[in-house]
Amino acid sequence: MTTSLQPLAVKTHSEFFFNDGNAMLRVKGSATANASVDATKTLCSTPDGSSTSDTTYTYFRVHKSILSDLSDVFSTMFSIPQSESQSSDPFTYEGCDMVELHDDVSDVTKLMKVIYGR
């Protein structure tokens, strides 16, 4: 049985959502005035169509190479090979691996500003 991904409107970070990025950071919570977010963009929900309607997530689309060069944590995380089962993980978007961070959106925004020199 084949399941298809269902569209899900989510909040994307306006400053740190790069079209050429190859990693998605999913952060629980919405941005504050200090962390600008686009209104909505359509990503995909899980294959069974379930969504996180009770929870807001902010998505950062960033570059693995930049994060890896400046952070041992990201470097190690991105160097772990994905198993066959993970390659069909529903938490991907346009070929980008999805990583969930358990930090505040404002903290991730500050980290990205340091990493990207903004």
Side-chain angles (χ1 to χ4, degrees):
M1 178 178 179
T2 304
T3 57
S4 61
L5 296 176
Q6 303 298 316
L8 173 65
V10 298
K11 295 182 178 187
T12 58
H13 199 279
S14 62
E15 186 175 359
F16 298 107
F17 195 89
F18 302 105
N19 289 333
D20 64 343
N22 58 356
M24 293 284 283
L25 306 180
R26 174 177 141 155
V27 183
K28 192 173 185 176
S30 59
T32 63
N34 294 330
S36 180
V37 171
D38 286 346
T40 57
K41 288 191 179 183
T42 301
L43 297 182
C44 295
S45 64
T46 57
D48 66 359
S50 64
S51 67
T52 54
S53 57
D54 295 340
T55 305
T56 301
Y57 290 93
T58 300
Y59 291 81
F60 296 72
R61 186 170 180 172
V62 293
H63 307 93
K64 286 182 184 180
S65 60
I66 293 173
L67 272 59
S68 294
D69 285 347
L70 297 173
S71 166
D72 290 340
V73 172
F74 282 114
S75 179
T76 301
M77 181 174 52
F78 294 139
S79 69
I80 298 171
Q82 292 197 341
S83 69
E84 188 67 31
S85 63
Q86 289 174 318
S87 66
S88 61
D89 187 344
F91 294 108
T92 60
Y93 173 68
E94 294 185 356
C96 296
D97 294 330
M98 182 94 59
V99 177
E100 185 163 350
L101 300 179
H102 299 278
D103 299 286
D104 293 332
V105 173
S106 61
D107 292 338
V108 175
T109 300
K110 290 173 189 172
L111 176 63
M112 292 301 114
K113 285 184 178 194
V114 169
I115 288 175
Y116 280 92
R118 295 186 178 188

